[in-house]
Amino acid sequence: MAEQTVLVPILGDQLTPAISSLQGQAKNSTVVLMMEVWDEATYVKHHKQKIALIFSAMRHFAAALRDDGWTVDYVKLTDQDNAGSFSGEVARAIERHNPYRLRITQASEWRVQHAIDEWEDKFPCAIEVLSDDRFICSRSEFDHWAEGRKQLTMELFYREMRKKTGLLMNADGKPEGGKWNFDSENRQALDGALFVPSRPRFEPDSITKEVLTLVESRFGDHFGQLEPFEWPVTHAQACEAADAFFQERIENFGPYQDAMIFGEDDLYHSMLSTSINIGLLDPLDLCLRAEQAYRDGKAPLNSVEGFIRQIIGWREYVRGFYWHFMPALASANELDASRPLPELFWTGDTKMRCLADCIRSTNNNAHAHHIQRLMVLGNFCLLAGIDPQAVQDWYLAVYADAFDWVEMPNVVGMILYADGGRLATKPYAASGNYINKMSNYCGGCDYKVSAKTGDDACPFNPLYWHFMDRHRDRLSSNHRIGRIYSTWDRMSEQKQREYIDSAEKFLDSLEPAREGWAR
Ligand code: FAD
Ligand code: DLZ
Ligand code: SF4
């Protein structure tokens, strides 16, 4: 090793060979540091599959770097004097390697970046923090776009990203197909008989098997089923998963994006978020492949535009939004929601068939698809007035693709309206009708979706009006929602009372989660 050593810590979601911290580095003077640390695995008690995914992908990535000629100092969770935190491990590595400089790509999460910001004063070497160029929109670019805007409309941001990337843009500067957004074609319910090709599932190799044993022994009390563990853990596996999506499922991705079928966990979704978020797949590359599928006549525009919008629209937008509003975003609670998260979110023990199925999928796969997270689980949390901190902890803990920067705007802004409407123009509140329209859940449910009040009524029905009634002051002036109050006002006092009483009886029946599930 040359005298002028540079230490390059690579975090668990930076598993990209071209990560900015490695760009331009000479292999003979660089020590890559990778750390399995107790703090990261337990600051919330992540789903077992999530910990296994990160550790296994980290170990495979370290092996690939070594094969490519890099020196990698890999600290395992079980290493005897593991310090348990990023800062502790970096301190030990500095003693071991005596680097003159430490180079790191900005952490994706505020919590971790905050710790990195203290390294300058803590450590004897120079600290260089590089921006994460795997995102299409830089943090400063988002801040510039957001400046002076009261409402940060995703659709407008998305158009800027279309122009910036040229994706689905024509030579005359107009969007392909004459429209920016084909969402109106993407709301079809699914016939349960429709054939859905299953995604590739990856057998654990020896590295993953070792990690699975470690996770079971150290994190056995965390939520979720560990096996079967089938997530891609290498770039090659993630590419295979992406290939299968582009060959078999993207065609139907758009139309059935919001559909839900009991027991069907993937449908036509890409199931690529875990791979994208930890760096195994490049988001822009995926969008280019989606566009190619359209240009080659293999997928319709509504599917391809929808997929691209999720990535260069929503994904980039929530990341910019997160950094723009942190750290205040973490404690935002505009609707003063304070109810504890119910125990059923951890056990799935509920007669509500839609909730039970989404929680089953979450438990089995560390995954639920977007509309389940938004319109079943999220809608429930919004209507029941669950404390935003508890909801954040839950979503962060249970999903394998969950990192603060993407989970928090979706929870605080999109589902809970706790940011006061900066992200969403109105709360995504819905009664049982919506779920009935988009799924086959209600048919086999103990509750009746058609019943509005009473013990056998779908709980979403009275909860919807309870929510509207208790937030009247805040919401009635919202032009997208205000007219709902005319419907409420036209109801008899007795009907209104029945709604409120049914909702309160249901809310009173919810058992709060026992201590120790999330933290
Ligand atoms: P697809 O349906 O195939 O979509 C393609 C890709 O678009 C996804 O892989 C993802 O990268 C991106 N995407 C889609 N919607 C969003 C969105 N709203 N925000 C950011 N990216 C999006 N996604 C995460 O990656 N991590 C999270 O922690 C997370 N938490 C969420 C919490 C809530 C309350 C909600 C409503 C959504 C959340 N999402 C999160 C977004 C979305 O649910 C997941 O990205 C998606 O379900 C992942 O499955 P998929 O790869 O099959 O996605
Ligand atoms: C999620 C996670 C877990 C469970 N464990 C680790 C770990 O031991 N080492 C690591 O480098 N990263 C881990 N991660 C992902 C990190 O939490 C993620 O990289 C940072 O939070 C990014 O800010
Ligand atoms: Fe869910 Fe209500 Fe339908 Fe039951 S009736 S599945 S609780 S929406």
Side-chain angles (χ1 to χ4, degrees):
M1 184 62 53
E3 266 172 36
Q4 298 271 290
T5 301
V6 179
L7 184 68
V8 178
I10 292 190
L11 307 178
D13 61 354
Q14 298 182 342
L15 310 182
T16 310
I19 190 86
S20 55
S21 54
L22 285 181
Q23 286 170 27
Q25 280 301 111
K27 286 178 183 161
N28 67 352
S29 57
T30 302
V31 174
V32 172
L33 172 68
M34 297 184 69
M35 310 155 269
E36 292 173 7
V37 293
W38 192 257
D39 278 10
E40 289 306 304
T42 56
Y43 72 93
V44 289
K45 291 167 85 173
H46 305 283
H47 193 299
K48 294 187 200 85
Q49 283 186 42
K50 180 178 179 185
I51 303 178
L53 166 73
I54 306 266
F55 285 7
S56 173
M58 283 174 65
R59 290 182 186 197
H60 281 94
F61 185 72
L65 285 182
R66 284 190 185 119
D67 285 349
D68 195 32
W70 295 93
T71 302
V72 183
D73 181 357
Y74 192 98
V75 182
K76 286 189 172 170
L77 191 83
T78 44
D79 284 348
Q80 263 193 347
D81 39 5
N82 188 320
S85 70
F86 285 144
S87 296
E89 274 314 315
V90 168
R92 288 189 341 116
I94 288 175
E95 278 183 21
R96 280 198 300 278
H97 303 290
N98 192 23
Y100 86 103
R101 203 152 54 95
L102 180 152
R103 225 171 114 84
I104 187 165
T105 296
Q106 220 158 39
S108 66
E109 298 180 311
W110 191 91
R111 175 184 62 79
V112 178
Q113 187 53 44
H114 193 61
I116 294 173
D117 289 342
E118 291 172 354
W119 290 357
E120 191 88 55
D121 294 335
K122 251 190 187 142
F123 300 135
C125 56
I127 309 284
E128 191 185 355
V129 180
L130 294 110
S131 56
D132 190 342
D133 57 14
R134 297 172 302 171
F135 288 93
I136 293 152
C137 179
S138 71
R139 281 165 47 181
S140 56
E141 197 181 342
F142 186 92
D143 290 343
H144 181 69
W145 174 80
E147 209 177 280
R149 289 173 198 257
K150 203 164 156 230
Q151 178 81 50
L152 303 182
T153 309
M154 197 291 292
E155 185 62 29
L156 299 181
F157 169 83
Y158 164 58
R159 291 177 192 179
E160 294 304 316
M161 292 301 106
R162 287 272 296 274
K163 289 183 213 156
K164 180 175 176 176
T165 57
L167 284 161
L168 295 179
M169 295 300 293
N170 292 330
D172 59 2
K174 300 239 165 66
E176 176 69 16
K179 280 199 301 185
W180 293 99
N181 181 319
F182 290 82
D183 226 12
S184 56
E185 295 170 33
N186 288 354
R187 292 180 192 138
Q188 290 184 41
L190 248 174
D191 172 354
L194 212 77
F195 172 69
V196 183
S198 65
R199 72 182 146 110
R201 293 164 194 278
F202 301 94
E203 276 279 306
D205 62 4
S206 58
I207 295 180
T208 302
K209 280 183 184 153
E210 193 180 312
V211 165
L212 294 176
T213 305
L214 171 75
V215 171
E216 195 52 70
S217 72
R218 299 294 175 106
F219 307 103
D221 66 329
H222 286 210
F223 171 79
Q225 192 176 298
L226 179 57
E227 294 186 71
F229 178 90
E230 296 165 325
W231 292 106
V233 291
T234 63
H235 173 66
Q237 289 180 344
C239 288
E240 193 184 327
D243 289 349
F245 172 66
F246 288 118
Q247 276 158 25
E248 296 166 358
R249 303 200 305 286
I250 193 171
E251 189 184 348
N252 285 318
F253 172 85
Y256 304 117
Q257 215 177 333
D258 290 352
M260 294 175 278
I261 295 285
F262 182 82
E264 288 286 340
D265 299 337
D266 306 356
L267 297 176
Y268 294 103
H269 294 276
S270 71
M271 305 295 282
L272 296 177
S273 54
T274 55
S275 301
I276 305 172
N277 290 354
I278 62 177
L280 303 182
L281 291 175
D282 179 58
L284 183 57
D285 183 52
L286 292 172
C287 293
L288 289 166
R289 288 194 64 182
E291 178 173 29
Q292 198 56 48
Y294 165 68
R295 305 262 180 224
D296 292 345
K298 290 183 178 147
L301 185 54
N302 57 318
S303 283
V304 168
E305 187 280 318
F307 180 76
I308 290 176
R309 176 157 29 86
Q310 300 313 312
I311 294 190
I312 67 166
W314 279 112
R315 185 171 187 274
E316 291 289 328
Y317 171 89
V318 298
R319 190 261 186 161
F321 187 95
Y322 171 80
W323 283 100
H324 192 70
F325 290 111
M326 277 303 277
L329 187 65
S331 54
N333 189 1
E334 176 79 10
L335 298 181
D336 292 324
S338 61
R339 187 177 302 280
L341 188 80
E343 177 75 358
L344 69 89
F345 269 69
W346 299 105
T347 60
D349 185 11
T350 169
K351 288 192 301 171
M352 297 175 75
R353 193 166 183 251
C354 52
L355 265 189
D357 192 52
C358 296
I359 293 163
R360 177 204 51 75
S361 171
T362 305
N363 178 75
N364 292 2
N365 312 315
H367 192 274
H369 55 81
H370 184 67
I371 209 69
Q372 295 176 313
R373 297 189 207 193
L374 179 66
M375 294 311 293
V376 178
L377 299 156
N379 186 32
F380 184 91
C381 293
L382 171 76
L383 300 186
I386 311 292
D387 173 11
Q389 300 285 339
V391 183
Q392 285 180 56
D393 280 358
W394 187 79
Y395 276 90
L396 191 57
V398 303
Y399 293 117
D401 60 18
F403 296 87
D404 229 23
W405 66 266
V406 52
E407 165 273 317
M408 194 185 294
N410 274 298
V411 167
V412 174
M414 197 182 298
I415 65 169
L416 296 183
Y417 202 69
D419 64 341
R422 286 197 173 104
L423 186 143
T425 45
K426 68 178 179 70
Y428 279 91
S431 67
N433 260 346
Y434 176 85
I435 295 170
N436 192 30
K437 197 171 81 188
M438 296 311 301
S439 77
N440 66 355
Y441 285 142
C442 303
C445 185
D446 285 354
Y447 292 108
K448 286 200 184 82
V449 73
S450 56
K452 305 295 181 202
T453 58
D455 288 349
D456 65 348
C458 165
F460 280 112
N461 294 338
L463 285 177
Y464 175 83
W465 286 115
H466 192 271
F467 172 82
M468 289 299 170
D469 185 48
R470 73 179 187 271
H471 294 299
R472 183 170 193 138
D473 287 351
R474 179 73 185 73
L475 299 179
S476 58
S477 57
N478 181 320
H479 71 282
R480 294 198 60 203
I481 217 167
R483 68 194 158 75
I484 284 165
Y485 288 98
S486 350
T487 309
W488 179 241
D489 292 340
R490 277 198 304 274
M491 288 181 205
S492 66
E493 252 182 62
Q494 191 198 334
K495 189 75 207 163
Q496 290 180 348
R497 195 65 261 157
E498 281 168 20
Y499 270 118
I500 300 300
D501 288 349
S502 292
E504 285 179 352
K505 189 169 175 197
F506 175 80
L507 290 170
D508 287 346
S509 74
L510 294 173
E511 189 191 331
R514 68 167 170 79
E515 297 273 310
W517 271 117
R519 288 193 190 255

